[in-house]
Amino acid sequence: MSVSTIAEFIAVLLMLIGAIMALISAIGIIRFPDIYTRSHAATKSSTLAVLLTLLGAFLYFATTTGFVSVRLILGIVFVFITSPVAGHLITRAAYRANVKLADTTIEDELADVLKEKQQKEGK
Amino acid sequence: MINIMLTAALVLFAIAILISLCRIIIGPSLPDRIIALDMIGVHLVSTIAIISVIFQTTAFLEVILILAILSFISTIAFSKYIERGVIIERKHDR
């Protein structure tokens, strides 16, 4: 086995680990009880899946053809920055639209803070 | 060996996309469906990366960046529509 074959194998292994991570996040999005836990599963683990897969593709092209793709690096950075922001925005919009929490939720601290703020503004 | 691993990764991504499609169909509220759509977009990006490795071509790498940008913009537009009711607000001082 040459060095190129080993690097190729590692790149493809990274992509396979990314695919398994994507399957775990999909199981999370179908099994969790309410939207906040679902967004927890959907943003974190699918971001990691995409990062691993794009890193594997980058390593594959860099070792087999010697082509260092700037677009893949930009894609990795962009997904890493924007995916948590998208999750934050959807969760905030869901809370403002009064989507119910799960029945097993013990306390909702944001509701208390918002109520106190409304009382202060009312005075 | 490498071909088997790439095909397995592609099949796993397809299963993940199908499961989030189930969440889009049965999702009780609108933000559930938007989260599942965002996840499908993110998984399509990595599917395209795997397909470009299988085909041994670097011609599809622009698609990855553009699909990531479009998925982010559409998610932001949907969440702003849920929160405010409009996507592009008008100016009040005219």
Side-chain angles (χ1 to χ4, degrees), chain A residues 1-16 53 55-66, chain B residues 1-3 5-6 53-54 56:
Chain A
M1 282 177 76
S2 62
V3 179
S4 170
T5 314
I6 296 173
E8 204 171 311
F9 183 77
I10 289 175
V12 179
L13 191 67
L14 278 181
M15 297 173 102
L16 190 61
T53 313
L55 189 66
F58 175 74
L59 275 181
Y60 188 88
F61 286 126
T63 52
T64 55
T65 63
Chain B
M1 184 70 189
I2 282 178
N3 274 325
M5 284 164 75
L6 283 174
V53 169
I54 287 179
Q56 301 271 343

Side-chain angles (χ1 to χ4, degrees), chain A residues 35-86:
Chain A
I35 180 166
Y36 307 103
T37 48
R38 263 176 230 144
S39 77
H40 175 89
T43 53
K44 287 182 183 59
S45 48
S46 63
T47 307
L48 182 61
V50 172
L51 292 189
L52 284 174
T53 313
L54 292 186
L55 189 66
F58 175 74
L59 275 181
Y60 188 88
F61 286 126
T63 52
T64 55
T65 63
F67 176 73
V68 177
S69 167
V70 185
R71 298 184 192 91
L72 274 176
I73 300 176
L74 276 179
I76 290 173
V77 172
F78 191 79
V79 170
F80 187 62
I81 291 176
T82 58
S83 180
V85 177

